[in-house]
Amino acid sequence: MPIDVVMPQMGESITEGTLTKWLKKPGDTVARDEPLFEISTDKVDAEIPSPAAGVLGAIKVEEGATVTVGTVVCAIEEAGSAPAAAPKAETVTPAATTTAASDAAVPAPAPEAAAGPGTEVPMPQMGESITEGTLTKWLKKVGDTVSRDEPIFEISTDKVDAEIPSPVAGTLTEIRVQEGQTVTVGSIVAVIGGGAAAPAAKAAPAAPVAAPTPAPAAPAASAASASAGEAPRSSPLVRKIASENNVDLTTVPGTGASGRITKQDILGHLEGGAPAAVPALAAAAPVAAKPAASAPAAPVSAPTPGELVPLSKMRSIIAKRMVESKATSPHVHTVFKVDMTRIVKLREKEKNKYEQRNGVKLTYMPFITRAAVQALRKHPIVNASMQGEAILYNKNINIGIAVALEWGLIVPVIKQTEEKSFLGIARAIVDVADRARNKKLAPDEVAGGTFTLTNSGIFGEQFGTPIIAQPQSAILGIGGMNKEPVVLTDKDGQDTIAIRTIQRFTLGFDHRTIDGADAGKFMTDFKNYLENWSEDLG
């Protein structure tokens, strides 16, 4: 059965896209996740991967055509007719990965579930450059009643960990994507309503008739796949873990539906053993009996004993983005000392009245953000970005505020800060930081930044050398605040030593767009604005 490929959602506010180039032609064989075509919107140009392995069938949208999100642009004909149901489970487009359907190992209930009048829940767009996400946790199970906007699952990307709310009220009738799976934006992960999932769930009790066979069926399927020269069935997350740890997946018995290798299977393998059900089958299953099955784990633990923990989705992609940024931008850093004594005294004097009057605490971040905005107004090159062989001067100043989380780092963006008052900035900072820690940020709130602030000084460091968030041209690192002896010169030229509150700020900048002189002028104006603060706090 062919799998439809649709125009994906490339941003929360984007409703259409232009198909600019086909990378394959009808009849070509394509691998899962291999780029099929390129699209362009006002926010992003991207290559769109194939959701499944097979042969490219009819092309329904020609190059240059602009179509709405969700329009079918082509179809992938799965190789072979007999095993058609198996790849469909891996592409996550049907309901074959639903727990009930998997246990029953019968593909027929999947279409039945999809045929109901339920509301499909897609993997949302979590940033304009993000094309996929990992479903990390289900907050509801099949059969649970959910309210509109009630969180039903959690996802993770390099930019955001978020709870995704239900689009409608009803009953969760179908789960199509299991915890730990990584799927492309727009993939259907669940169905609300419809009522067809219940029969599928009840199909599972028929399994006890063949109770002795389900356990060996999974390793047998994996072995059959390996013997036929095919890659074992697994999720992108499993393949990533295997790649990072040099594990041959043909040596890992799969306990999932039809021999699918699960996250627990690969982690158990890395820990030096197979899943609990496998040892009893060692004599019967050729793959499980291979001596090499546990070999890859030895080099991992032998040199340095310890616990091997795979990177989270967020951590993994943060690592990738940081390497890409260092490879893309020639980083230069300049450090300025700023006398914050005036602001410290002002804050101490006003903080209690300010909180009572405005309902928000008076911290140092609004002062720093406001000073950065004023300096960016005077030096727009620092707010610009490279775009091909040209420089894009951004119309607005959108400030990213790095927020440290227990599970990683997230950078919510405060849009159009040049239009906000001091009080407006103060409220916005508190708001996005709170919602970031509680996984309540909307996708659009982690995209579109033009300049970033990162406050590592809260941990006591003097200053740091932060990495630029692409495609921005600069990032401001905020160092620790300390009292230091400083030489002061009065209007008559007389020097005295005084104790002042000093803070160091580091501007990391892309030398392709910003010269040292530009950076120096920006930082001088930033410093002067803080040291000679005269703005009303509101």
Side-chain angles (χ1 to χ4, degrees):
M1 182 176 179
I3 294 175
D4 287 338
V5 182
V6 301
M7 174 63 66
Q9 179 80 30
M10 301 304 292
E12 191 175 25
S13 61
I14 302 300
T15 59
E16 63 181 18
T18 301
L19 197 154
T20 54
K21 183 178 181 182
W22 280 102
L23 305 176
K24 296 287 183 178
K25 61 183 182 297
D28 282 356
T29 300
V30 295
R32 177 180 171 87
D33 295 331
E34 184 178 7
L36 275 179
F37 56 93
E38 294 179 353
I39 69 169
S40 179
T41 72
D42 62 340
K43 286 189 174 182
V44 65
D45 288 356
E47 291 183 343
I48 306 304
S50 172
V55 176
L56 178 59
I59 287 178
K60 301 181 181 180
V61 174
E62 298 300 326
E63 292 181 354
T66 299
V67 294
T68 56
V69 168
T71 300
V72 176
V73 300
C74 69
I76 300 296
E77 302 284 348
E78 297 174 301
S81 56
K88 190 163 288 190
E90 185 173 4
T91 62
V92 196
T93 48
T97 54
T98 303
T99 302
S102 297
D103 290 344
V106 179
E112 184 180 330
T119 299
E120 294 182 330
V121 182
M123 172 62 66
Q125 179 79 27
M126 301 306 290
E128 58 192 57
S129 62
I130 303 301
T131 60
E132 63 180 18
T134 298
L135 196 153
T136 54
K137 184 179 180 181
W138 279 103
L139 305 175
K140 296 288 183 178
K141 61 183 183 296
V142 172
D144 283 355
T145 300
V146 295
S147 304
R148 179 181 173 87
D149 296 329
E150 182 181 6
I152 55 175
F153 61 94
E154 295 182 357
I155 70 169
S156 178
T157 73
D158 65 326
K159 289 187 174 182
V160 64
D161 278 11
E163 292 180 342
I164 306 304
S166 173
V168 294
T171 300
L172 179 59
T173 54
E174 191 177 342
I175 287 178
R176 298 188 181 182
V177 175
Q178 301 304 310
E179 292 180 354
Q181 281 190 277
T182 300
V183 295
T184 55
V185 168
S187 297
I188 304 304
V189 302
V191 176
I192 305 292
K202 292 178 181 177
V209 177
T213 57
S222 181
S225 175
S227 64
E230 301 174 3
R233 297 176 57 220
S234 60
S235 69
L237 178 63
V238 169
R239 294 194 290 273
K240 178 178 177 58
I241 295 172
S243 175
E244 291 173 347
N245 294 282
N246 298 317
V247 174
D248 181 357
L249 284 178
T250 61
T251 67
V252 182
T255 61
S258 302
R260 186 183 185 89
I261 300 173
T262 67
K263 178 183 177 183
Q264 287 70 29
D265 294 334
I266 185 67
L267 293 180
H269 183 83
L270 288 171
E271 290 170 2
V278 173
L281 304 168
V287 173
K290 286 185 179 180
S294 59
V300 176
S301 56
T304 41
E307 181 184 7
L308 182 66
V309 180
L311 292 175
S312 66
K313 182 66 176 180
M314 175 181 273
R315 188 77 264 154
S316 175
I317 305 185
I318 285 176
K320 181 180 178 182
R321 296 288 182 261
M322 294 300 96
V323 171
E324 288 175 351
S325 181
K326 291 290 282 189
T328 299
S329 298
H331 280 61
V332 184
H333 293 87
T334 183
V335 182
F336 272 58
K337 288 171 61 175
V338 177
D339 188 340
M340 297 288 285
T341 307
R342 183 184 184 91
I343 286 178
V344 169
K345 290 180 177 179
L346 176 61
R347 177 179 174 273
E348 285 299 314
K349 176 184 175 183
E350 298 290 335
K351 65 179 184 180
N352 291 332
K353 292 183 292 184
Y354 188 87
E355 185 172 358
Q356 292 174 2
R357 183 170 67 249
N358 299 309
V360 60
K361 289 184 178 180
L362 182 59
T363 67
Y364 292 110
M365 280 302 292
F367 291 95
I368 295 167
T369 306
R370 185 67 172 170
V373 170
Q374 297 304 321
L376 289 168
R377 277 176 162 169
K378 293 182 66 175
H379 306 280
I381 186 62
V382 183
N383 193 54
S385 60
M386 283 288 291
Q387 193 169 95
E389 294 299 314
I391 296 176
L392 172 65
Y393 286 86
N394 292 296
K395 177 182 178 182
N396 299 116
I397 299 174
N398 301 331
I399 302 292
I401 306 286
V403 178
L405 308 172
E406 291 182 5
W407 57 91
L409 183 74
I410 193 169
V411 186
V413 177
I414 301 174
K415 303 291 177 63
Q416 299 176 330
T417 49
E418 76 278 7
E419 298 180 1
K420 295 184 182 295
S421 65
F422 180 92
L423 177 58
I425 290 175
R427 284 178 170 157
I429 290 172
V430 172
D431 173 56
V432 296
D434 284 347
R435 288 190 292 112
R437 295 186 182 100
N438 291 294
K439 301 181 180 180
K440 301 297 183 184
L441 287 174
D444 189 54
E445 293 176 303
V446 293
T450 60
F451 185 82
T452 297
L453 302 178
T454 178
N455 186 11
S456 54
I458 58 175
F459 303 109
E461 69 177 36
Q462 289 286 304
F463 66 90
T465 54
I467 298 176
I468 300 165
Q470 296 296 325
Q472 299 170 29
S473 288
I475 183 170
L476 188 67
I478 303 168
M481 187 180 287
N482 300 283
K483 289 185 177 181
E484 299 179 12
V486 176
V487 176
L488 301 179
T489 304
D490 62 23
K491 60 182 180 181
D492 298 321
Q494 298 297 312
D495 292 337
T496 58
I497 295 178
I499 296 176
R500 310 289 288 181
T501 301
I502 300 298
Q503 194 166 18
R504 289 167 176 79
F505 294 86
T506 304
L507 182 71
F509 59 96
D510 185 339
H511 216 333
R512 297 176 303 167
T513 54
I514 303 172
D515 290 330
D518 297 321
K521 291 173 184 177
F522 170 85
M523 289 301 290
T524 297
D525 286 331
F526 171 78
K527 170 186 171 79
N528 289 338
Y529 199 87
L530 288 173
E531 290 185 341
N532 301 287
W533 187 274
S534 60
E535 185 177 333
D536 179 58
L537 303 184

Short mmCIF file of all heavy atoms in Angstrom, two decimals, residues 303-353:
data_model
loop_
_atom_site.label_atom_id
_atom_site.label_comp_id
_atom_site.label_asym_id
_atom_site.label_seq_id
_atom_site.Cartn_x
_atom_site.Cartn_y
_atom_site.Cartn_z
N PRO A 303 38.05 0.31 29.62
CA PRO A 303 39.06 1.33 29.93
C PRO A 303 38.69 2.17 31.15
O PRO A 303 39.53 2.42 31.99
CB PRO A 303 39.09 2.19 28.66
CG PRO A 303 38.43 1.36 27.61
CD PRO A 303 37.44 0.52 28.31
N THR A 304 37.45 2.64 31.22
CA THR A 304 37.03 3.49 32.33
C THR A 304 35.69 3.01 32.86
O THR A 304 34.67 3.29 32.25
CB THR A 304 36.90 4.96 31.88
OG1 THR A 304 36.30 4.99 30.58
CG2 THR A 304 38.21 5.67 31.87
N PRO A 305 35.69 2.29 33.97
CA PRO A 305 34.42 1.80 34.52
C PRO A 305 33.48 2.95 34.83
O PRO A 305 33.90 4.01 35.29
CB PRO A 305 34.87 1.10 35.82
CG PRO A 305 36.31 0.78 35.60
CD PRO A 305 36.85 1.89 34.76
N GLY A 306 32.25 2.74 34.57
CA GLY A 306 31.25 3.77 34.84
C GLY A 306 29.96 3.45 34.11
O GLY A 306 29.82 2.41 33.47
N GLU A 307 29.02 4.36 34.21
CA GLU A 307 27.72 4.17 33.60
C GLU A 307 27.66 4.86 32.24
O GLU A 307 27.99 6.04 32.12
CB GLU A 307 26.63 4.74 34.51
CG GLU A 307 25.22 4.56 33.97
CD GLU A 307 24.17 5.22 34.85
OE1 GLU A 307 24.55 5.93 35.80
OE2 GLU A 307 22.98 5.03 34.58
N LEU A 308 27.26 4.14 31.22
CA LEU A 308 27.12 4.68 29.87
C LEU A 308 25.69 5.13 29.68
O LEU A 308 24.77 4.31 29.70
CB LEU A 308 27.49 3.63 28.82
CG LEU A 308 27.42 4.09 27.36
CD1 LEU A 308 28.48 5.14 27.09
CD2 LEU A 308 27.61 2.90 26.43
N VAL A 309 25.49 6.43 29.53
CA VAL A 309 24.14 6.98 29.39
C VAL A 309 24.02 7.67 28.04
O VAL A 309 24.75 8.63 27.77
CB VAL A 309 23.84 8.01 30.51
CG1 VAL A 309 22.43 8.57 30.35
CG2 VAL A 309 24.01 7.37 31.89
N PRO A 310 23.15 7.19 27.17
CA PRO A 310 22.98 7.84 25.86
C PRO A 310 22.54 9.29 26.01
O PRO A 310 21.84 9.65 26.97
CB PRO A 310 21.87 7.01 25.20
CG PRO A 310 21.87 5.71 25.92
CD PRO A 310 22.26 6.03 27.33
N LEU A 311 22.96 10.12 25.08
CA LEU A 311 22.56 11.52 25.09
C LEU A 311 21.05 11.64 24.90
O LEU A 311 20.46 10.89 24.13
CB LEU A 311 23.26 12.30 23.97
CG LEU A 311 24.76 12.50 24.09
CD1 LEU A 311 25.28 13.18 22.83
CD2 LEU A 311 25.11 13.33 25.30
N SER A 312 20.45 12.60 25.60
CA SER A 312 19.05 12.90 25.35
C SER A 312 18.95 13.54 23.97
O SER A 312 19.95 14.00 23.40
CB SER A 312 18.51 13.87 26.41
OG SER A 312 19.15 15.13 26.28
N LYS A 313 17.73 13.59 23.43
CA LYS A 313 17.54 14.22 22.13
C LYS A 313 18.01 15.67 22.17
O LYS A 313 18.71 16.14 21.28
CB LYS A 313 16.07 14.15 21.74
CG LYS A 313 15.76 14.74 20.37
CD LYS A 313 16.40 13.94 19.26
CE LYS A 313 16.00 14.47 17.89
NZ LYS A 313 16.61 13.71 16.80
N MET A 314 17.62 16.40 23.23
CA MET A 314 18.01 17.80 23.34
C MET A 314 19.53 17.94 23.40
O MET A 314 20.14 18.73 22.68
CB MET A 314 17.36 18.45 24.57
CG MET A 314 17.82 19.89 24.81
SD MET A 314 17.09 20.65 26.28
CE MET A 314 15.58 21.28 25.60
N ARG A 315 20.18 17.12 24.26
CA ARG A 315 21.63 17.21 24.43
C ARG A 315 22.36 16.86 23.15
O ARG A 315 23.35 17.48 22.77
CB ARG A 315 22.05 16.27 25.55
CG ARG A 315 23.49 16.35 25.99
CD ARG A 315 23.73 17.57 26.88
NE ARG A 315 24.23 18.71 26.15
CZ ARG A 315 24.07 19.96 26.54
NH1 ARG A 315 23.37 20.22 27.62
NH2 ARG A 315 24.56 20.95 25.84
N SER A 316 21.85 15.84 22.46
CA SER A 316 22.49 15.38 21.22
C SER A 316 22.48 16.46 20.15
O SER A 316 23.48 16.72 19.50
CB SER A 316 21.77 14.12 20.71
OG SER A 316 22.29 13.74 19.47
N ILE A 317 21.33 17.12 19.98
CA ILE A 317 21.24 18.11 18.90
C ILE A 317 21.91 19.42 19.32
O ILE A 317 22.45 20.13 18.48
CB ILE A 317 19.79 18.32 18.46
CG1 ILE A 317 19.16 16.98 18.07
CG2 ILE A 317 19.72 19.28 17.30
CD1 ILE A 317 17.77 17.09 17.51
N ILE A 318 21.91 19.74 20.62
CA ILE A 318 22.68 20.90 21.08
C ILE A 318 24.14 20.70 20.72
O ILE A 318 24.81 21.61 20.20
CB ILE A 318 22.54 21.10 22.61
CG1 ILE A 318 21.16 21.67 22.94
CG2 ILE A 318 23.62 22.04 23.14
CD1 ILE A 318 20.89 21.80 24.43
N ALA A 319 24.66 19.50 20.97
CA ALA A 319 26.05 19.20 20.64
C ALA A 319 26.31 19.40 19.15
O ALA A 319 27.31 20.02 18.74
CB ALA A 319 26.38 17.76 21.04
N LYS A 320 25.39 18.91 18.34
CA LYS A 320 25.53 19.05 16.88
C LYS A 320 25.52 20.51 16.46
O LYS A 320 26.34 20.96 15.65
CB LYS A 320 24.41 18.28 16.19
CG LYS A 320 24.47 18.33 14.67
CD LYS A 320 23.31 17.55 14.06
CE LYS A 320 23.33 17.64 12.54
NZ LYS A 320 22.18 16.91 11.93
N ARG A 321 24.58 21.29 17.03
CA ARG A 321 24.46 22.70 16.66
C ARG A 321 25.69 23.50 17.09
O ARG A 321 26.13 24.42 16.39
CB ARG A 321 23.21 23.31 17.29
CG ARG A 321 21.90 22.70 16.79
CD ARG A 321 21.60 23.12 15.37
NE ARG A 321 20.32 22.56 14.93
CZ ARG A 321 20.19 21.48 14.20
NH1 ARG A 321 21.26 20.83 13.79
NH2 ARG A 321 18.99 21.03 13.85
N MET A 322 26.26 23.16 18.25
CA MET A 322 27.44 23.88 18.71
C MET A 322 28.65 23.63 17.81
O MET A 322 29.41 24.54 17.48
CB MET A 322 27.77 23.49 20.16
CG MET A 322 26.73 23.93 21.19
SD MET A 322 26.45 25.73 21.27
CE MET A 322 25.01 25.93 20.22
N VAL A 323 28.80 22.37 17.40
CA VAL A 323 29.89 22.04 16.48
C VAL A 323 29.69 22.76 15.14
O VAL A 323 30.63 23.31 14.57
CB VAL A 323 29.98 20.52 16.27
CG1 VAL A 323 30.96 20.17 15.15
CG2 VAL A 323 30.41 19.83 17.57
N GLU A 324 28.45 22.77 14.67
CA GLU A 324 28.15 23.45 13.41
C GLU A 324 28.44 24.94 13.51
O GLU A 324 28.97 25.54 12.57
CB GLU A 324 26.68 23.24 13.05
CG GLU A 324 26.35 21.83 12.60
CD GLU A 324 24.86 21.63 12.36
OE1 GLU A 324 24.08 22.54 12.73
OE2 GLU A 324 24.48 20.56 11.82
N SER A 325 28.10 25.56 14.65
CA SER A 325 28.33 27.00 14.82
C SER A 325 29.81 27.33 14.79
O SER A 325 30.24 28.28 14.14
CB SER A 325 27.70 27.50 16.12
OG SER A 325 27.90 28.88 16.26
N LYS A 326 30.61 26.52 15.51
CA LYS A 326 32.06 26.77 15.52
C LYS A 326 32.66 26.58 14.14
O LYS A 326 33.62 27.27 13.77
CB LYS A 326 32.73 25.84 16.53
CG LYS A 326 32.40 26.15 17.98
CD LYS A 326 33.03 27.45 18.45
CE LYS A 326 34.49 27.29 18.76
NZ LYS A 326 35.06 28.50 19.42
N ALA A 327 32.10 25.65 13.37
CA ALA A 327 32.60 25.40 12.03
C ALA A 327 32.14 26.47 11.04
O ALA A 327 32.80 26.73 10.04
CB ALA A 327 32.15 24.02 11.55
N THR A 328 31.00 27.10 11.35
CA THR A 328 30.42 28.10 10.44
C THR A 328 31.00 29.49 10.67
O THR A 328 31.39 30.18 9.70
CB THR A 328 28.89 28.16 10.62
OG1 THR A 328 28.34 26.88 10.32
CG2 THR A 328 28.27 29.20 9.72
N SER A 329 31.05 29.93 11.92
CA SER A 329 31.45 31.31 12.24
C SER A 329 32.86 31.38 12.81
O SER A 329 33.17 30.66 13.77
CB SER A 329 30.48 31.91 13.27
OG SER A 329 29.17 31.98 12.75
N PRO A 330 33.70 32.25 12.26
CA PRO A 330 35.00 32.50 12.90
C PRO A 330 34.76 33.32 14.17
O PRO A 330 34.51 34.52 14.10
CB PRO A 330 35.77 33.29 11.84
CG PRO A 330 34.74 33.88 10.96
CD PRO A 330 33.54 32.98 10.99
N HIS A 331 34.78 32.65 15.31
CA HIS A 331 34.44 33.29 16.58
C HIS A 331 35.56 34.19 17.09
O HIS A 331 36.73 33.80 17.08
CB HIS A 331 34.16 32.23 17.65
CG HIS A 331 32.80 31.63 17.58
ND1 HIS A 331 32.34 30.92 16.46
CD2 HIS A 331 31.78 31.58 18.48
CE1 HIS A 331 31.12 30.49 16.70
NE2 HIS A 331 30.75 30.88 17.91
N VAL A 332 35.18 35.38 17.53
CA VAL A 332 36.09 36.29 18.22
C VAL A 332 35.39 36.74 19.50
O VAL A 332 34.16 36.91 19.50
CB VAL A 332 36.46 37.52 17.36
CG1 VAL A 332 37.49 38.38 18.06
CG2 VAL A 332 36.98 37.08 16.00
N HIS A 333 36.13 36.91 20.58
CA HIS A 333 35.53 37.33 21.85
C HIS A 333 36.26 38.54 22.41
O HIS A 333 37.49 38.62 22.33
CB HIS A 333 35.59 36.19 22.89
CG HIS A 333 34.73 35.02 22.53
ND1 HIS A 333 35.17 33.99 21.73
CD2 HIS A 333 33.43 34.72 22.86
CE1 HIS A 333 34.20 33.10 21.59
NE2 HIS A 333 33.14 33.51 22.26
N THR A 334 35.49 39.47 22.93
CA THR A 334 36.08 40.64 23.59
C THR A 334 35.40 40.81 24.95
O THR A 334 34.18 40.64 25.06
CB THR A 334 35.92 41.91 22.74
OG1 THR A 334 36.57 43.01 23.39
CG2 THR A 334 34.47 42.27 22.48
N VAL A 335 36.20 41.12 25.99
CA VAL A 335 35.69 41.20 27.36
C VAL A 335 35.79 42.64 27.86
O VAL A 335 36.86 43.26 27.77
CB VAL A 335 36.48 40.26 28.30
CG1 VAL A 335 35.90 40.31 29.70
CG2 VAL A 335 36.47 38.83 27.75
N PHE A 336 34.70 43.16 28.40
CA PHE A 336 34.66 44.51 28.97
C PHE A 336 34.29 44.43 30.45
O PHE A 336 33.41 43.66 30.84
CB PHE A 336 33.63 45.36 28.23
CG PHE A 336 34.17 46.06 27.01
CD1 PHE A 336 34.74 45.35 25.97
CD2 PHE A 336 34.11 47.45 26.91
CE1 PHE A 336 35.23 45.99 24.85
CE2 PHE A 336 34.61 48.11 25.79
CZ PHE A 336 35.17 47.38 24.75
N LYS A 337 34.95 45.26 31.27
CA LYS A 337 34.58 45.41 32.67
C LYS A 337 33.60 46.57 32.79
O LYS A 337 33.85 47.66 32.26
CB LYS A 337 35.82 45.70 33.52
CG LYS A 337 36.73 44.51 33.70
CD LYS A 337 38.05 44.90 34.37
CE LYS A 337 37.83 45.48 35.76
NZ LYS A 337 39.12 45.75 36.44
N VAL A 338 32.50 46.34 33.50
CA VAL A 338 31.48 47.37 33.66
C VAL A 338 31.27 47.64 35.15
O VAL A 338 31.10 46.70 35.94
CB VAL A 338 30.15 46.94 33.01
CG1 VAL A 338 29.07 47.99 33.25
CG2 VAL A 338 30.34 46.70 31.51
N ASP A 339 31.30 48.90 35.51
CA ASP A 339 31.05 49.31 36.90
C ASP A 339 29.54 49.34 37.12
O ASP A 339 28.85 50.24 36.63
CB ASP A 339 31.67 50.68 37.15
CG ASP A 339 31.63 51.07 38.63
OD1 ASP A 339 30.82 50.49 39.38
OD2 ASP A 339 32.42 51.95 39.03
N MET A 340 29.04 48.37 37.87
CA MET A 340 27.60 48.24 38.09
C MET A 340 27.15 48.88 39.40
O MET A 340 25.99 48.69 39.82
CB MET A 340 27.22 46.75 38.09
CG MET A 340 27.47 46.04 36.76
SD MET A 340 26.28 46.52 35.48
CE MET A 340 24.82 45.62 36.02
N THR A 341 28.02 49.65 40.05
CA THR A 341 27.70 50.20 41.38
C THR A 341 26.42 51.04 41.36
O THR A 341 25.57 50.91 42.25
CB THR A 341 28.87 51.05 41.90
OG1 THR A 341 30.07 50.27 41.85
CG2 THR A 341 28.63 51.51 43.32
N ARG A 342 26.28 51.88 40.36
CA ARG A 342 25.11 52.75 40.27
C ARG A 342 23.82 51.93 40.20
O ARG A 342 22.83 52.23 40.88
CB ARG A 342 25.24 53.65 39.04
CG ARG A 342 24.11 54.67 38.87
CD ARG A 342 24.31 55.43 37.56
NE ARG A 342 23.31 56.47 37.39
CZ ARG A 342 23.45 57.74 37.80
NH1 ARG A 342 24.57 58.09 38.43
NH2 ARG A 342 22.50 58.63 37.59
N ILE A 343 23.84 50.88 39.38
CA ILE A 343 22.65 50.05 39.21
C ILE A 343 22.38 49.21 40.46
O ILE A 343 21.22 49.03 40.85
CB ILE A 343 22.80 49.16 37.96
CG1 ILE A 343 22.61 50.02 36.72
CG2 ILE A 343 21.79 48.01 37.97
CD1 ILE A 343 22.77 49.32 35.42
N VAL A 344 23.44 48.73 41.11
CA VAL A 344 23.27 47.96 42.35
C VAL A 344 22.57 48.81 43.41
O VAL A 344 21.62 48.35 44.08
CB VAL A 344 24.62 47.44 42.87
CG1 VAL A 344 24.47 46.87 44.28
CG2 VAL A 344 25.18 46.38 41.92
N LYS A 345 23.00 50.04 43.56
CA LYS A 345 22.40 50.92 44.56
C LYS A 345 20.95 51.26 44.19
O LYS A 345 20.08 51.30 45.06
CB LYS A 345 23.22 52.21 44.68
CG LYS A 345 24.58 51.99 45.34
CD LYS A 345 25.35 53.30 45.44
CE LYS A 345 26.68 53.10 46.16
NZ LYS A 345 27.47 54.36 46.23
N LEU A 346 20.71 51.50 42.90
CA LEU A 346 19.35 51.80 42.45
C LEU A 346 18.41 50.63 42.70
O LEU A 346 17.29 50.79 43.19
CB LEU A 346 19.37 52.16 40.96
CG LEU A 346 18.01 52.41 40.30
CD1 LEU A 346 17.30 53.59 40.96
CD2 LEU A 346 18.18 52.66 38.80
N ARG A 347 18.90 49.45 42.40
CA ARG A 347 18.07 48.25 42.60
C ARG A 347 17.77 48.04 44.09
O ARG A 347 16.62 47.71 44.45
CB ARG A 347 18.77 47.02 42.03
CG ARG A 347 18.00 45.73 42.27
CD ARG A 347 18.71 44.54 41.66
NE ARG A 347 18.03 43.30 42.03
CZ ARG A 347 18.27 42.61 43.13
NH1 ARG A 347 19.20 43.03 44.00
NH2 ARG A 347 17.61 41.50 43.40
N GLU A 348 18.77 48.17 44.93
CA GLU A 348 18.56 47.99 46.37
C GLU A 348 17.53 48.98 46.91
O GLU A 348 16.70 48.64 47.75
CB GLU A 348 19.89 48.14 47.11
CG GLU A 348 20.81 46.95 46.98
CD GLU A 348 20.19 45.67 47.54
OE1 GLU A 348 19.63 45.71 48.65
OE2 GLU A 348 20.25 44.64 46.84
N LYS A 349 17.57 50.18 46.38
CA LYS A 349 16.65 51.22 46.83
C LYS A 349 15.23 50.98 46.36
O LYS A 349 14.25 51.23 47.10
CB LYS A 349 17.15 52.58 46.32
CG LYS A 349 16.23 53.74 46.66
CD LYS A 349 16.75 55.03 46.03
CE LYS A 349 15.77 56.18 46.26
NZ LYS A 349 16.22 57.45 45.61
N GLU A 350 15.07 50.45 45.14
CA GLU A 350 13.76 50.38 44.50
C GLU A 350 13.10 49.00 44.50
O GLU A 350 11.90 48.90 44.21
CB GLU A 350 13.87 50.85 43.03
CG GLU A 350 14.31 52.29 42.86
CD GLU A 350 13.24 53.27 43.31
OE1 GLU A 350 12.05 52.91 43.29
OE2 GLU A 350 13.60 54.41 43.68
N LYS A 351 13.83 47.93 44.79
CA LYS A 351 13.30 46.59 44.52
C LYS A 351 12.01 46.26 45.26
O LYS A 351 11.10 45.64 44.69
CB LYS A 351 14.37 45.52 44.79
CG LYS A 351 14.81 45.39 46.23
CD LYS A 351 15.85 44.27 46.36
CE LYS A 351 16.26 44.05 47.80
NZ LYS A 351 17.27 42.98 47.93
N ASN A 352 11.90 46.63 46.53
CA ASN A 352 10.68 46.30 47.28
C ASN A 352 9.46 47.06 46.75
O ASN A 352 8.40 46.48 46.51
CB ASN A 352 10.88 46.59 48.77
CG ASN A 352 11.87 45.64 49.41
OD1 ASN A 352 12.03 44.51 48.96
ND2 ASN A 352 12.54 46.09 50.45
N LYS A 353 9.63 48.38 46.56
CA LYS A 353 8.52 49.19 46.02
C LYS A 353 8.18 48.75 44.60
O LYS A 353 7.00 48.74 44.22
CB LYS A 353 8.91 50.67 46.03
CG LYS A 353 9.05 51.27 47.42
CD LYS A 353 9.35 52.76 47.35
CE LYS A 353 10.75 53.01 46.79
NZ LYS A 353 11.10 54.46 46.81
#
